[in-house]
Amino acid sequence: MVAVTEVVTADIAAELRRLGVADVDDSTLARALYSTDASLYRVVPQVVVRPRGVEEVLATVEACRLTGTPLTSRGAGTSIAGNAVGTGVVIDFTRHLNRVHDIDVESRTARVEPGTVHAVLQKAATPLGLRFGPDPSTHTRCTVGGMIGNNACGSRALAYGRTADNVVGLDVVTMAGEELSVVAGGRTESATLDRLGDVVQGGLGVIRTEFGTFGRQVSGYSLEHLLPERGFDVATFLAGTEGTLATMTSATVRLVEDPPHRQVLVLGYASMAEAADDVPALLPFGPTACEGLDSRIVDVFRTHKGSVPELPRGQGWLFVEISGDEPGLVADTVQRASVASSAIASRVVTDPREQAVLWRIREEGAGLATRTLPGKALSGWEDAAVPPDRLGTYLREFDALLRENGLDGVPYGHFGDGCIHVRIDFPLDASGGKELFRSFLFDAATLVASHGGSFSGEHGDGRARSELLPLMYSADAIDLFAQVKGVFDPDDLLNPGVLVRPRPVDADLRGPESSRDRLDGRLGLRLLHDDGDFGKAVHRCTGVGKCIADNAGSNGVMCPSFQATRNEKDSTRGRARVLQEMIDGRLVTGGFRSPEVHEALDLCLSCKGCASDCPTGTDMATYKSEVLHQSYRGRIRPRSHYILGRLPFWARVTSPIAWLANLGLRTPGIRSLARWAAGVDQRRSLPTFARGSLSRWARRRTSEAAGHGGPRVLLWADSFTDFFSTEGGKAAVRVLEAAGYHVELLERSACCGLTWITTGQLDRARSIVGSTVAQLHPYVAEGVPVVGLEPSCLAVLRSDAVELLDDPRAVDVARGVFTLSELLQRTDGWRAPDLTGTTLVVQPHCHQASILGFEADLAVMESTGATIQRLSGCCGLAGNFGVEKGHYEVSVAVAEQQLLPAVRNAAAGTIVVADGFSCRTQLDDLASVKALHLAQLLAP
């Protein structure tokens, strides 16, 4: 079987190249990256194509027709139903065909390529006072082509309709190579469309009685748009056909005005079913959105993401958004809606910042919901819709069905449209789990059909629901689907297994997640949140794809290398996919040492951004450390691991002769040799050792410090502060003493082991961090606060230490260490210096933003009165990453995303603040900018 697959793969790949398609990738790595989407399904493609123009799309269709190879179109790959995976060619439109061609303000239309990201279109339309109406929760990364394929809707479909309602025209190509331009309300001359018309004429009675019964009837083909009384609207009909009938090359979509005023009425209920009961009473007030949210999702956000705006009491809420041109009318409508509701409590949210947080919680529901139950909550039955007046009854009966099957689920979604998203704890890996999954889907489908509902309300049917369609439609309707498929794609090459002649709902499910019996060797990390199971850890990623969104202006970090390269392998999702395939073992076969694994992880900066920004809590930095640990344990490592990976050791032994070491590193020949030996790119500068360590300086001033009374505080001198950047440490002493503290330092050096961790030298890292915990614990036990200055090192004590050490003292230390700002915020009487009139450009260290939290630092800087420009993203150096040979270009490209443009465009006199040693080094190296540590900014 494998040999046959390889021959077929070679044939289609050769044909694609012969026809002039440039970006053809049949590598094992590419096939692993595209083997799944955001669904439960795994289907390994033969080839991945990233077309650079329409001519290459046409060539790809031709190659598939000539070789009989299936073709699946893919946008952002965030499909939850399994409709963006296929066995043949997967065509990825996002890499190159992602432009907004033009926006016509007069006609309020935009012409876009299929891979255009929704947020990119919005960014282009917003300055013109327009927007694209539908807004799925994945709007930061989903594509317009994907939205059309699924007939996506989003939160504001109540006001703006489904994607189908906003399609003006489509350019498509059939599998036969016929290029069609179809326009809503127009007629295109085509033999194919004539045959389609004949099918419709033969089924008018069925179409008129079974289709278009309510707004969210998305399952199956929306044949109602082809009725004569609707003008045989092929353009609108093709929305929601999931790439099974034609391949899109361009789309023209309708734009709308965005009302300037909006308020969100938050209504609290004792249960989600009671919230659903109230929907019919609220719809007459014309809400832009009416969204339901389970309290368990909010609890997860609060635990892992931070503060949540005040919510009225309840176990579930409706977010009812009222928009309009007149603020008084909006407020009056909100008040009347509140009175009409049956909520137990309510609150009106008018602050746009609070509204943004509420919508963020709702938008991240798919990822957050996976973490709400004791077992992993999964998709699979996540998109059913019923008429809104049936929603409350349906939810109660659905909850009873869950309980009958020993399952639990967390509902949320578009309650105003009757569309429910839910994550369910299907025990797929347990004995009988797949059988339970299948039987539950059939029972759930029967329940939805009994309420006149649709199995899909916006995600499409895909592999998850297509087999169920006979429970919703008559045999005559199912036959019409087959006839329509036969008109457009008689050889069943376009997304086969979806909608027509469907794959079973339990076929192609991903393999078991656990790796306990499939990986050799003891893990170096405890993986506490995943029961010590590496497979379970990497399967946290469900493919929601937030890591491929543009994070500019979001205060996010994830994923720096993807922001620079736009390659799927450099996204958190892509890396997780490859690791999942490594666990599966059928495609990626070499375990931890697989070349595909190391290629995918090579450009991971270990920034920890995904640990915070990813809704599912995927922590790629941790997984990379474990992979490197397993790969090189007992083996020769890269040179950089011995030098950069042990930099604190070399700094400590070099400290007594720092002046001599610095002199040598400034000498051209020695400097080049040192770079080679350390695996450092020759374009990089080498760090300068401090002439005297911070610890030595502190010991010399002990007598002076003895005169300072006040409460004790331990200033922990990490290796970078102690041996490289002592000025920040000295400034911190002055700040803390001015705040009334008696500052102490440790008698001997205490390293966190960070560089050993990031290079996967975990056994040695465990020893190092264990020693440091032992030194710090007596202070913590006495209630003496421990302040750290280097964010990456402090983050080790907050998170990595407990993963390395099975020692309760590590837990105590994690709770007892603070940033400088955290301590100052709780210090009575401390006042920040007045910096009114000063502008600060602030680059949070990645670990600061992701692990420690940056709120305290921002609050302290705001208290100075300075004007603050906070940057998102990563500086690009990330410890040893940016200086290693082979990483220079990407390191600079990451810095060019936000940091370097910000400092170049800064006005004269602007102060750049960066607590991270890496960040300051990058700024000095690439922009000759001397950034300050926050302690230096605050020092008297």
Side-chain angles (χ1 to χ4, degrees):
M1 178 64 73
V2 174
V4 172
T5 301
E6 289 174 350
V7 170
V8 173
T9 298
D11 288 349
I12 180 59
E15 188 64 21
L16 286 162
R17 295 183 178 111
R18 186 186 71 81
L19 292 175
V21 181
D23 195 344
V24 177
D25 194 343
D26 58 352
S27 67
T28 301
L29 175 61
R31 297 171 68 208
L33 292 169
Y34 289 83
S35 64
T36 187
D37 42 24
S39 72
L40 299 179
Y41 297 93
R42 173 188 180 271
V43 180
V44 179
Q46 297 172 40
V47 181
V48 176
V49 169
R50 306 174 185 94
R52 299 175 184 272
V54 172
E55 68 285 352
E56 289 196 3
V57 177
L58 301 179
T60 300
V61 171
E62 176 71 0
C64 289
R65 184 183 65 80
L66 292 173
T67 59
T69 304
L71 175 62
T72 298
S73 295
R74 181 176 174 120
T78 54
S79 164
I80 303 178
N83 38 22
V85 290
T87 58
V89 172
V90 169
I91 183 167
D92 180 356
F93 285 98
T94 61
R95 189 76 174 95
H96 305 295
L97 291 178
N98 52 24
R99 294 164 295 181
V100 177
H101 279 300
D102 58 68
I103 294 178
D104 188 324
V105 177
E106 185 175 346
S107 65
R108 295 185 180 178
T109 59
R111 188 167 61 91
V112 301
E113 293 176 332
T116 301
V117 172
H118 178 283
V120 172
L121 174 56
Q122 295 293 52
K123 186 175 181 179
T126 297
L128 304 174
L130 300 172
R131 61 165 289 157
F132 184 48
D135 58 346
S137 60
T138 55
H139 61 87
T140 57
R141 61 271 192 197
C142 72
T143 65
V144 177
M147 291 177 66
I148 293 171
N150 289 353
N151 196 8
C153 302
S155 299
R156 295 178 174 84
L158 284 174
Y160 305 127
R162 305 164 299 178
T163 299
D165 303 316
N166 292 275
V167 170
V168 175
L170 298 175
D171 293 333
V172 301
V173 56
T174 69
M175 208 63 213
E178 182 182 6
E179 297 179 60
L180 296 172
S181 292
V182 292
V183 180
R187 186 68 184 241
T188 300
E189 295 299 322
S190 160
T192 299
L193 299 186
D194 288 343
R195 292 195 299 275
L196 177 64
D198 291 341
V199 171
V200 172
Q201 286 298 317
L204 289 177
V206 173
I207 297 172
R208 285 175 175 142
T209 55
E210 295 191 39
F211 292 84
T213 60
F214 77 110
R216 286 297 184 106
Q217 185 180 349
V218 170
S219 279
Y221 292 143
S222 298
L223 299 175
E224 69 273 16
H225 299 295
L226 299 177
L227 289 169
E229 57 266 32
R230 295 204 182 189
F232 193 66
D233 187 348
V234 177
T236 303
F237 158 73
L238 285 174
T241 55
E242 303 182 38
T244 62
L245 301 182
T247 300
M248 190 189 317
T249 58
S250 178
T252 301
V253 295
R254 183 175 294 105
L255 303 178
V256 297
E257 287 188 355
D258 198 14
H261 303 286
R262 55 173 46 89
Q263 294 185 7
V264 177
L265 172 63
V266 183
L267 300 169
Y269 299 88
S271 70
M272 295 301 291
E274 290 174 65
D277 290 337
D278 226 10
V279 167
L282 297 168
L283 293 180
F285 296 97
T288 311
C290 181
E291 298 292 291
L293 196 66
D294 190 287
S295 62
R296 289 171 288 184
I297 293 176
V298 175
D299 291 341
V300 171
F301 186 93
R302 187 181 287 112
T303 299
H304 297 283
K305 303 286 185 176
S307 61
V308 172
E310 178 187 350
L311 293 171
R313 71 181 186 278
Q315 295 302 305
W317 297 278
L318 290 179
F319 295 174
V320 183
E321 182 182 82
I322 304 293
S323 304
D325 296 324
E326 298 293 334
L329 182 58
V330 169
D332 178 68
T333 304
V334 166
Q335 181 60 32
R336 289 187 293 111
S338 179
V339 171
S341 78
S342 301
I344 59 176
S346 66
R347 181 184 174 223
V348 178
V349 180
T350 58
D351 186 335
R353 292 170 298 183
E354 285 193 293
Q355 291 179 9
V357 174
L358 293 178
W359 288 122
R360 179 189 170 193
I361 296 170
R362 168 57 193 89
E363 288 167 2
E364 294 189 3
L368 295 171
T370 65
R371 307 164 76 176
T372 55
L373 302 176
K376 186 175 180 181
L378 303 172
S379 61
W381 184 259
E382 83 302 323
D383 192 40
V386 299
D389 61 350
R390 306 286 301 169
L391 186 59
T393 302
Y394 165 70
L395 272 180
R396 289 180 178 87
E397 294 176 357
F398 180 72
D399 188 58
L401 180 62
L402 286 169
R403 291 197 303 272
E404 289 170 12
N405 286 274
L407 300 172
D408 196 1
V410 182
Y412 63 99
H414 314 300
F415 277 39
D417 291 296
C419 182
I420 298 296
H421 300 325
V422 63
R423 293 298 183 273
I424 301 171
D425 55 350
F426 293 116
L428 292 181
D429 291 353
S431 176
K434 290 183 172 61
E435 292 79 6
L436 172 62
F437 174 77
R438 179 179 178 83
S439 65
F440 178 85
L441 260 58
F442 273 83
D443 289 345
T446 301
L447 174 62
V448 169
S450 73
H451 287 278
S454 176
F455 304 156
S456 172
E458 64 175 341
H459 294 164
D461 294 308
R463 284 168 166 73
R465 288 174 280 276
S466 293
E467 188 191 7
L468 306 173
L469 289 175
L471 299 176
M472 176 178 167
Y473 290 109
S474 68
D476 289 339
I478 297 297
D479 182 62
L480 284 175
F481 293 164
Q483 291 183 55
V484 170
K485 176 76 168 176
V487 167
F488 283 96
D489 181 27
D491 296 325
D492 201 12
L493 294 178
L494 288 174
N495 217 3
V498 173
L499 292 173
V500 175
R501 292 178 288 280
R503 293 282 290 165
V505 294
D506 54 340
D508 307 318
L509 290 170
R510 299 187 198 180
E513 293 186 356
S514 176
S515 61
R516 290 193 188 281
D517 300 324
R518 288 187 283 172
L519 293 180
D520 296 328
R522 179 180 61 84
L523 294 180
L525 295 166
R526 300 172 68 200
L527 301 178
L528 294 171
H529 299 293
D530 298 290
D531 303 321
D533 189 329
F534 188 77
K536 184 177 178 181
V538 300
H539 278 90
R540 277 178 172 266
C541 175
T542 58
V544 295
K546 189 181 177 186
C547 52
I548 64 171
D550 183 354
N551 66 13
S554 68
N555 297 333
V557 176
M558 175 180 71
C559 177
S561 52
F562 180 82
Q563 300 295 326
T565 69
R566 311 306 294 182
N567 288 327
E568 179 72 17
K569 76 176 180 66
D570 300 323
S571 68
T572 304
R573 177 181 71 178
R575 294 178 180 120
R577 288 286 174 264
V578 177
L579 289 172
Q580 290 167 9
E581 288 294 335
M582 180 196 82
I583 299 298
D584 182 273
R586 286 175 285 177
L587 180 63
V588 176
T589 58
F592 284 113
R593 294 174 187 154
S594 300
E596 297 87 359
V597 169
H598 285 263
E599 184 176 351
L601 290 175
D602 178 50
L603 295 184
C604 171
L605 285 77
S606 297
C607 69
K608 292 276 189 180
C610 49
S612 172
D613 293 352
C614 174
T616 65
T618 300
D619 184 355
M620 195 54 60
T622 291
Y623 312 155
K624 181 177 182 178
S625 293
E626 188 66 58
V627 168
L628 294 175
H629 171 68
Q630 299 291 343
S631 297
Y632 292 112
R633 186 166 54 182
R635 298 163 66 90
I636 296 175
R637 290 174 167 270
R639 292 194 308 275
S640 63
H641 288 199
Y642 296 106
I643 305 300
L644 299 176
R646 302 174 184 180
L647 186 58
F649 166 77
W650 298 114
R652 188 175 74 254
V653 299
T654 303
S655 183
I657 54 168
W659 66 272
L660 182 59
N662 290 334
L663 178 63
L665 294 177
R666 287 196 296 267
T667 304
I670 297 175
R671 182 173 58 209
S672 297
L673 182 60
R675 289 194 186 106
W676 176 86
V680 172
D681 190 283
Q682 291 293 334
R683 290 164 287 187
R684 282 293 186 186
S685 63
L686 294 171
T688 300
F689 298 103
R691 292 291 294 268
S693 70
L694 179 66
S695 301
R696 191 178 308 161
W697 170 83
R699 285 194 293 272
R700 286 200 304 265
R701 71 184 297 274
T702 300
S703 58
E704 176 186 341
H708 288 276
R712 297 166 63 199
V713 61
L714 178 71
L715 181 64
W716 172 47
D718 60 85
S719 297
F720 298 101
T721 304
D722 206 7
F723 300 117
F724 292 100
S725 184
T726 61
E727 292 307 311
K730 295 173 184 177
V733 170
R734 296 197 299 273
V735 171
L736 291 168
E737 288 180 346
Y741 288 100
H742 174 71
V743 182
E744 303 175 25
L745 276 78
L746 293 172
E747 290 293 325
R748 57 190 177 91
S749 176
C751 180
C752 69
L754 172 67
T755 58
W756 284 268
I757 293 171
T758 56
T759 52
Q761 302 178 74
L762 297 182
D763 292 333
R764 180 58 182 150
R766 186 177 299 105
S767 174
I768 292 170
V769 75
S771 174
T772 297
V773 165
Q775 289 190 69
L776 296 178
H777 188 263
Y779 291 89
V780 172
E782 291 180 28
V784 176
V786 177
V787 171
L789 299 178
E790 172 57 41
S792 57
C793 297
L794 193 58
V796 169
L797 297 183
R798 283 267 181 94
S799 63
D800 298 292
V802 296
E803 291 288 350
L804 284 163
L805 302 172
D806 186 6
D807 185 341
R809 294 180 299 176
V811 177
D812 294 339
V813 169
R815 295 170 179 158
V817 294
F818 304 92
T819 67
L820 178 62
S821 293
E822 287 171 342
L823 183 64
L824 292 175
Q825 271 201 310
R826 70 180 204 177
T827 302
D828 293 336
W830 179 79
R831 288 184 176 277
D834 186 355
L835 299 179
T836 303
T838 302
T839 298
L840 308 178
V841 171
V842 182
Q843 172 66 49
H845 188 283
C846 294
H847 294 182
Q848 199 172 12
S850 302
I851 303 299
L852 304 177
F854 194 64
E855 293 76 12
D857 300 76
L858 190 61
V860 165
M861 282 184 276
E862 288 174 342
S863 70
T864 67
T867 300
I868 299 170
Q869 179 187 356
R870 176 188 174 175
L871 305 181
S872 301
C874 178
C875 74
L877 193 68
N880 60 304
F881 173 86
V883 300
E884 286 180 337
K885 188 175 181 180
H887 293 165
Y888 180 81
E889 286 79 8
V890 171
S891 175
V892 174
V894 171
E896 286 289 359
Q897 294 295 306
Q898 296 186 54
L899 178 59
L900 294 183
V903 297
R904 278 197 296 265
N905 296 330
T910 297
I911 297 174
V912 180
V913 180
D915 280 4
F917 177 71
S918 292
C919 306
R920 297 195 299 275
T921 301
Q922 181 83 315
L923 283 162
D924 191 17
D925 218 25
L926 300 183
S928 299
V929 169
K930 300 293 183 182
L932 299 181
H933 189 285
L934 178 61
Q936 293 172 279
L937 182 75
L938 302 177

